[in-house]
Amino acid sequence: MPSASGPVAVASASAAAKAAPSVAVGISPDLYPTEDDLPYEEEILREPFKLKGWWRYLVARAAAPFAKRAVIYERALKALPGSYKLWHAYLRDRLDHARPHPIDHPAYSSLNNTFERALATMHKMPRVWVLYLTSLLDQRLLTRARRSFDRALRALPVTQHDRIWPLYLRLASLPACPVETSLRVFRRYLQFDPSHAEDFINFLISANHWQEAANRLASVLNDDGFRSVKGKTRHQLWLELCEILTKHADEVAGLKVDAILRGGIRKFTDEVGRLWTSLADYYVRRGLFEKARDIFEEGISSVVTVKEFSVVFEAYTQFEQSMLAAKLEAAEEEGAEDENEGGGRKSGMDKLSRKFLDEFWLNDEDDTDLRMARFERLLDRRPELLSSVLLRQNPHNVEEWHRRVKLFEKDPARQVATYVEAVKTVDPMKAVGKPHTLWVAFAKMYEKHNRLDSAEDIFKRATQVNYKAVDHLASIWCEWAEMELRHNNFDKAIELMRQATAEPSVEVKRRAAADGDEPVQMKVHKSLKMWSFYVDLEESLGTLDSTGAVYERILDLRIATPQIILNYAYLLEEHKYFEDAFKVYERGVKIFKYPHVKAIWVTYLTKFVQRYKRSKLERARELFHEAVQQAPPEEKKPLYLQWAKLEEDYGLAKRAMNVYDEAVRAVPNSEKMAMYEIYIARAAELFGVPRTRQIYEQAIESGLPDRDVLTMCMKFAELERSLGEIDRSRAIYVHASNYSDPNNPDFWKKWNDFEIQHGNEDTFREMLRIKRTVAASRSQTHFILPEYLMQRDQRLNLDEAVDTLKRAGVPEDEMAALERQLAPGPSTAPPAAPSTAPASANRMMNFVSAGVEAQAESSRQQAGNNEDIELPDESDDEEPDVQIAEKSVPAAVFGELGKRAAENNEESSGAQGNEQLGALERIKRRRQ
């Protein structure tokens, strides 16, 4: 079959080529099929009504010139006129071909004709319409485009109109499009989609069609179901309408502008100032200046925020200023015209009219002074208007009413009117501030003008007001009484206070209870402020009996304060009623608790001691005991000190010591150290220094903080050192080391100095060993050292001791002998004492033994150890030997020290050889 069809196709193609010149004269030979086109031509000849062959042909010739491809498109569309795919591809190719050319090129005419031919069959295809309409818009063929848009809307179903209208609106928005055409297009579009009314309104505004724009905005705002597609709120739309109405008042008619703006003022409270100024601006543009002034006055008298007031007032001042400036300019122009006309040109009638009407005030057109006065009056009224705004925000603001009254300092009548309005407006239950101050200031204003009867009437009315707090009503009564005192009406003042403090009758209380809400007039008789003022009046103007009755009434009402108790007692003391005063103190300490009763106790005890001294000592002790029992620990110290002072001055010293001893146990830990210091100082002064030893021991064992214990031990050691008890002092230092930090330089330096002055090598080495022990016990790392390292450590400690002795001023030869005597040997046996060593090298000066060593006289002689201290000769003259008699000190003087010395002697007598014990070993043995 292919072999048979090939020659036939070629012959037909050649025959067509030969016959072509005779059929279509003037067609370029390039448009005819070539040898490469033969396969496609054969296919379309076999199946001319199938799209597949034609589409393959077009795809294969995609790079061919547009003219040749157009021939293929035309042949294909002639065979398949209803193919959307062919038409769409053909139109796109024609668009691409025409786009590089100017719009007046013939290619565009051919393009439009092709679109028209396509729409003959493709009129239901919206994509073809979109391509056609877009091309017409690009060619700016407005009339043809408008008609094509109408055809498209008629041809397509309504569901596909949303693809056409955006292009149609683009046409309506073109500058070259007539306004009337655009309006008709937008109106038709709103029938299709009413939600896009804002686009139409924006177009109307841009086209200066203010009347229709205002009508459309009004209809949108009246439609409760309208939702802005651009996200605008109703408030923004309302402001746009107000702006159109006010700025184009002459061009908008048929709308009730005043009603619309006032409705916006009521509805949108956050833009009240702008709406008021817009309404006034509307009347200004219409030339109704007096109406605009009335609007401004109404605006500033109705706004409720300072921000809105500032907006309206600023616009008002600009309006008045512009009116004044316009009047001045008009007057200048009239004067210039009169000068140009000249006096001789005026007619006789004009001269006669001017002669009769010049002096008539109604004919005076020059109201410049009036406008100036009006402008100045507006500026002067600003503080008053601003005060009105603040009071509209909160009419119960008391401080703002006071500031408003100060604005009318030079106008008493306005002040009275303001006070009357204030006391009528302010609700005491809602007031911000103290509402009674309005009544007081109102009455004082009348008092300032010497109208006491009116001031009394004001106070009388003020006492009948139901205030929120009792203190407010009490202040009214006190101010009324003070006014009477200022005018020397003393009896009336006392009578007023007696009336104010009178308790309501039972009937009145029953009636108030029936009403439910008990007024402050039922409670004012218990006001402490009023009773304090009353008792001051009685003390100044009354008698002792009347004053005492007032104090007793205060105590009966159980409203007394510690100061009232003290004042009552002072009053009785001034009149020599001491026992009655002490009874008042007794009542006070029973009524109040700590901390309020502290002042009463201190004053009571002080006054009692000053009054009776030693005559009622037992009663004073009972009072002090009761006071310290009631006081909390942190308040007991001053009471104990005062009690101890009483015992020292008028009692027994032993009792004073008992008080101090009780005090150090009762006060809190933070005050124990200070209390012990006072205790020790007083004991040393009263009983001598040895008496303080027990107190020191008690303080050390009382559980003080480590820092305080260390301080107490150092003071105790210094005391023992001053008494010559070196061993006791050293033992205290050893005990204190348990509470010391190795990094504390003060303690170790003090112990170091002590050992240098009173110790020897053993005690010094013991001190260093204790220091190392304390450091090791407080460190976080523990080491176990070998024996040779311990021996080396001992050698280093010995070197350190020698250096310390050298710095202390000990001679070098004595230190060398001492080092040889104490150096550890290869064996553990103690070395024998050398017999040839000088006596001065065996015992160092200024050092004593660490322990008490006692040996029998016989053993001392056999050993031949002469330890007598040989003092160097201070002069060459030899003095005769003086025999000094020695007398033993009674053991009672030393107390426990003597017993411990005897025990040490017994221990040392049982020791072998010359073995010496350190201070720490002796303390351990004593404890065992």
Side-chain angles (χ1 to χ4, degrees):
M1 191 68 184
S3 62
S5 62
V8 174
V10 171
S12 61
S14 61
K18 292 178 180 179
S22 61
V23 177
V25 180
I27 297 178
S28 174
D30 296 335
L31 301 180
Y32 290 101
T34 62
E35 295 292 335
D36 297 334
D37 298 336
L38 291 179
Y40 304 105
E41 290 288 345
E42 291 177 357
E43 185 178 1
I44 60 177
L45 283 176
R46 287 194 303 270
E47 297 177 348
F49 301 107
K50 283 191 176 181
L51 177 63
K52 186 176 181 181
W54 290 106
W55 192 252
R56 286 180 180 177
Y57 196 2
L58 290 171
V59 172
R61 294 294 170 261
F66 174 73
K68 184 173 182 178
R69 300 178 76 249
V71 171
I72 300 173
Y73 273 122
E74 290 292 344
R75 291 170 61 195
L77 290 172
K78 188 174 181 180
L80 299 170
S83 175
Y84 170 77
K85 188 173 184 178
L86 286 175
W87 276 116
H88 185 266
Y90 187 24
L91 294 174
R92 294 299 298 266
D93 278 357
R94 276 210 171 271
L95 280 172
D96 295 339
H97 173 66
R99 189 171 288 116
H101 302 291
I103 60 175
D104 56 352
H105 194 273
Y108 279 102
S109 177
S110 300
L111 174 65
N112 295 337
N113 292 333
T114 304
F115 271 115
E116 291 293 342
R117 288 193 294 120
L119 289 174
T121 56
M122 298 289 108
H123 59 278
K124 294 297 183 180
M125 300 300 174
R127 198 172 189 85
V128 177
W129 282 111
V130 170
L131 290 175
Y132 186 27
L133 297 174
T134 305
S135 175
L136 292 177
L137 288 177
D138 293 340
Q139 299 173 52
R140 293 296 188 271
L141 301 177
L142 300 181
T143 302
R144 186 171 182 174
R146 178 176 57 80
R147 292 173 179 174
S148 299
F149 275 114
D150 293 340
R151 289 166 53 200
L153 292 174
R154 287 194 298 270
L156 294 174
V158 177
T159 56
Q160 295 180 349
H161 284 190
D162 56 339
R163 305 179 68 174
I164 305 300
W165 274 115
L167 297 174
Y168 209 171
L169 295 179
R170 178 181 164 192
L171 169 68
S173 301
L174 291 175
C177 184
V179 176
E180 189 61 31
T181 300
S182 300
L183 292 177
R184 293 175 182 272
V185 171
F186 272 106
R187 292 188 188 115
R188 288 178 60 190
Y189 177 59
L190 289 182
Q191 293 178 0
F192 171 72
D193 188 2
S195 63
H196 288 77
E198 293 174 82
D199 296 332
F200 187 30
I201 293 171
N202 293 337
F203 175 77
L204 292 173
I205 293 174
S206 63
N208 297 330
H209 281 244
W210 306 110
Q211 180 66 50
E212 188 170 358
N215 292 334
R216 290 285 180 178
L217 269 175
S219 62
V220 164
L221 291 172
N222 291 329
D223 184 7
D224 296 333
F226 178 78
R227 295 293 181 271
S228 174
V229 296
K230 294 186 177 181
K232 291 185 179 180
T233 61
R234 298 181 67 84
H235 178 240
Q236 291 174 330
L237 295 174
W238 195 282
L239 292 180
E240 290 181 5
L241 176 60
C242 295
E243 186 176 359
I244 292 174
L245 294 177
T246 55
K247 291 186 177 180
H248 307 281
D250 297 335
E251 303 177 22
V252 178
L255 293 177
K256 297 180 180 180
V257 180
D258 190 282
I260 291 174
L261 292 179
R262 289 182 182 274
I265 291 171
R266 290 189 298 270
K267 191 171 184 179
F268 305 107
T269 56
D270 55 342
E271 291 287 347
V272 171
R274 181 177 175 182
L275 294 175
W276 278 115
T277 55
S278 298
L279 182 58
D281 189 24
Y282 168 75
Y283 286 109
V284 170
R285 292 178 184 275
R286 298 193 62 182
L288 304 176
F289 302 115
E290 294 301 327
K291 182 65 174 177
R293 185 176 287 107
D294 294 340
I295 294 298
F296 278 123
E297 289 289 341
E298 184 180 358
I300 60 178
S301 61
S302 61
V303 293
V304 294
T305 64
V306 177
K307 177 183 176 181
E308 306 298 342
F309 170 79
S310 301
V311 172
V312 178
F313 188 81
E314 185 68 22
Y316 194 6
T317 54
Q318 291 180 359
F319 166 73
E320 292 290 354
Q321 190 174 4
S322 61
M323 293 294 294
L324 180 60
K327 189 64 180 178
L328 293 175
E329 291 179 2
E332 292 178 359
E333 291 177 359
E334 289 179 0
E337 290 177 359
D338 293 342
E339 292 179 359
N340 293 334
E341 290 178 358
R345 297 181 181 178
K346 294 181 180 179
S347 63
M349 192 63 184
D350 293 338
K351 293 181 179 180
L352 185 63
S353 300
R354 183 175 294 277
K355 178 179 179 181
F356 285 105
L357 298 178
D358 275 350
E359 301 299 329
F360 191 49
W361 66 274
L362 287 176
N363 192 48
D364 188 9
E365 297 181 356
D366 186 11
D367 58 350
T368 305
D369 294 338
L370 175 61
R371 294 175 185 271
M372 181 66 73
R374 183 180 289 164
F375 181 63
E376 293 177 352
R377 171 62 178 162
L378 176 62
L379 296 180
D380 294 339
R381 287 169 55 206
R382 189 180 190 283
E384 179 184 351
L385 295 173
L386 182 59
S387 176
S388 300
V389 171
L390 295 175
L391 288 175
R392 281 194 293 273
Q393 286 182 356
N394 183 9
H396 308 291
N397 190 344
V398 177
E399 293 300 324
E400 188 56 39
W401 281 110
H402 283 298
R403 286 193 287 269
R404 185 175 181 84
V405 170
K406 291 181 181 178
L407 297 177
F408 312 121
E409 289 182 354
K410 298 180 181 179
D411 191 353
R414 293 289 301 275
Q415 284 186 329
V416 172
T418 303
Y419 275 124
V420 171
E421 183 182 2
V423 297
K424 288 182 178 180
T425 304
V426 175
D427 185 357
M429 298 301 175
K430 302 178 182 178
V432 178
K434 299 178 180 180
H436 71 279
T437 57
L438 291 173
W439 292 98
V440 173
F442 194 8
K444 286 185 177 180
M445 190 197 69
Y446 278 116
E447 181 189 1
K448 182 179 179 181
H449 293 82
N450 296 323
R451 296 183 57 181
L452 294 182
D453 52 346
S454 299
E456 290 177 356
D457 292 340
I458 296 298
F459 276 121
K460 186 175 182 180
R461 292 179 58 188
T463 57
Q464 300 172 0
V465 177
N466 185 18
Y467 297 98
K468 187 176 182 179
V470 177
D471 189 64
H472 297 169
L473 181 58
S475 299
I476 293 291
W477 284 107
C478 294
E479 291 289 345
W480 191 358
E482 286 182 357
M483 185 189 73
E484 299 295 345
L485 291 176
R486 286 194 293 269
H487 294 83
N488 299 326
N489 297 329
F490 304 120
D491 295 337
K492 190 171 184 179
I494 294 178
E495 182 61 30
L496 281 174
M497 297 313 300
R498 188 176 293 113
Q499 177 183 351
T501 55
E503 186 175 359
S505 62
V506 177
E507 182 64 26
V508 174
K509 289 183 178 180
R510 185 182 300 110
R511 193 182 307 116
D515 294 340
D517 188 10
E518 187 178 9
V520 294
Q521 283 76 7
M522 299 292 101
K523 310 173 187 176
V524 73
H525 67 282
K526 291 186 177 182
S527 173
L528 179 61
K529 180 177 182 179
M530 199 161 56
W531 279 104
S532 299
F533 186 79
Y534 186 17
V535 78
D536 290 342
L537 284 181
E538 289 291 349
E539 287 187 12
S540 303
L541 305 174
T543 62
L544 178 61
D545 295 338
S546 61
T547 308
V550 175
Y551 273 118
E552 290 295 334
R553 181 59 179 160
I554 293 174
L555 292 174
D556 293 340
L557 291 174
R558 304 180 67 84
I559 59 174
T561 62
Q563 190 60 45
I564 294 290
I565 298 295
L566 296 177
N567 294 341
Y568 190 12
Y570 289 156
L571 175 67
L572 295 174
E573 290 174 7
E574 289 178 359
H575 293 81
K576 309 302 181 183
Y577 291 94
F578 297 103
E579 282 298 329
D580 293 338
F582 293 149
K583 291 179 181 179
V584 172
Y585 284 127
E586 288 287 348
R587 295 175 66 180
V589 297
K590 291 179 180 179
I591 294 174
F592 299 101
K593 303 298 180 182
Y594 268 92
H596 310 290
V597 77
K598 177 181 178 181
I600 300 178
W601 269 120
V602 172
T603 307
Y604 183 18
L605 295 173
T606 303
K607 297 287 185 180
F608 191 88
V609 172
Q610 291 178 355
R611 171 66 180 167
Y612 293 110
K613 297 180 181 180
R614 68 177 69 252
S615 59
K616 293 187 178 182
L617 194 56
E618 287 300 325
R619 182 180 174 186
R621 288 170 179 164
E622 292 177 0
L623 290 177
F624 274 109
H625 181 72
E626 183 180 358
V628 297
Q629 289 295 325
Q630 293 184 9
E634 59 272 9
E635 301 290 346
K636 289 185 177 182
K637 180 180 176 181
L639 296 176
Y640 273 115
L641 293 178
Q642 193 173 359
W643 189 2
K645 186 71 167 59
L646 169 70
E647 295 292 349
E648 292 178 11
D649 293 343
Y650 308 110
L652 300 176
K654 184 178 180 180
R655 284 184 175 271
M657 292 298 102
N658 294 336
V659 172
Y660 283 121
D661 186 68
E662 183 180 349
V664 296
R665 291 181 172 85
V667 297
N669 293 333
S670 59
E671 297 180 355
K672 279 188 177 182
M673 185 65 182
M675 199 67 206
Y676 268 116
E677 291 177 351
I678 298 173
Y679 186 11
I680 292 170
R682 299 308 302 162
E685 183 178 350
L686 296 175
F687 295 97
V689 175
R691 177 66 174 82
T692 62
R693 286 175 172 169
Q694 297 177 358
I695 305 175
Y696 275 117
E697 293 176 359
Q698 177 184 344
I700 293 171
E701 297 174 357
S702 63
L704 291 172
D706 289 353
R707 180 183 301 177
D708 295 340
V709 171
L710 184 62
T711 304
M712 193 64 69
C713 287
M714 294 171 66
K715 292 182 178 181
F716 191 13
E718 184 64 24
L719 172 66
E720 295 293 352
R721 187 197 63 79
S722 63
L723 295 176
E725 297 291 344
I726 305 303
D727 289 339
R728 288 177 60 87
S729 180
R730 183 178 291 109
I732 294 170
Y733 276 117
V734 172
H735 180 73
S737 64
N738 297 322
Y739 304 96
S740 175
D741 188 355
N743 299 323
N744 185 4
D746 295 335
F747 171 74
W748 297 105
K749 184 177 181 305
K750 203 161 188 179
W751 193 2
N752 186 76
D753 296 341
F754 170 79
E755 293 295 347
I756 291 174
Q757 186 175 1
H758 302 286
N760 56 24
E761 291 79 6
D762 292 340
T763 60
F764 196 87
R765 291 171 64 183
E766 183 68 16
M767 184 267 293
L768 295 177
R769 188 190 66 78
I770 293 175
K771 184 176 181 181
R772 289 195 308 274
T773 304
V774 172
S777 64
R778 291 178 180 267
S779 64
Q780 297 180 356
T781 306
H782 301 277
F783 298 97
I784 301 177
L785 299 179
E787 184 177 357
Y788 73 94
L789 291 180
M790 295 178 64
Q791 293 178 1
R792 187 183 65 179
D793 193 17
Q794 293 176 1
R795 182 62 185 176
L796 292 176
N797 292 336
L798 181 59
D799 295 339
E800 184 180 354
V802 171
D803 294 338
T804 304
L805 295 175
K806 185 183 297 184
R807 288 195 299 271
V810 180
E812 188 172 358
D813 54 351
E814 295 182 0
M815 286 190 295
L818 187 60
E819 184 176 359
R820 288 192 302 269
Q821 193 175 26
L822 296 178
S827 62
T828 57
S835 59
T836 59
S840 60
N842 293 335
R843 177 71 65 177
M844 293 185 59
M845 201 162 49
N846 295 331
F847 278 77
V848 297
S849 175
V852 179
E853 299 179 358
Q855 295 182 352
E857 187 67 23
S858 58
S859 61
R860 193 184 315 170
Q861 292 177 359
Q862 293 175 1
N865 185 10
N866 187 9
E867 293 185 357
D868 294 336
I869 299 176
E870 295 182 1
L871 298 176
D873 296 336
E874 295 181 357
S875 63
D876 296 337
D877 299 334
E878 294 183 357
E879 296 181 358
D881 295 337
V882 179
Q883 299 295 331
I884 299 176
E886 295 182 0
K887 185 178 181 180
S888 60
V889 180
V893 175
F894 297 98
E896 292 185 1
L897 183 61
K899 296 179 181 179
R900 292 182 182 179
E903 293 174 0
N904 290 335
N905 291 333
E906 293 177 0
E907 292 174 2
S908 60
S909 62
Q912 295 179 0
N914 294 329
E915 183 180 1
Q916 297 180 354
L917 297 178
L920 185 60
E921 295 296 333
R922 291 197 305 275
I923 294 174
K924 290 181 179 179
R925 292 196 178 187
R926 288 197 201 105
R927 292 178 179 174
Q928 293 174 358

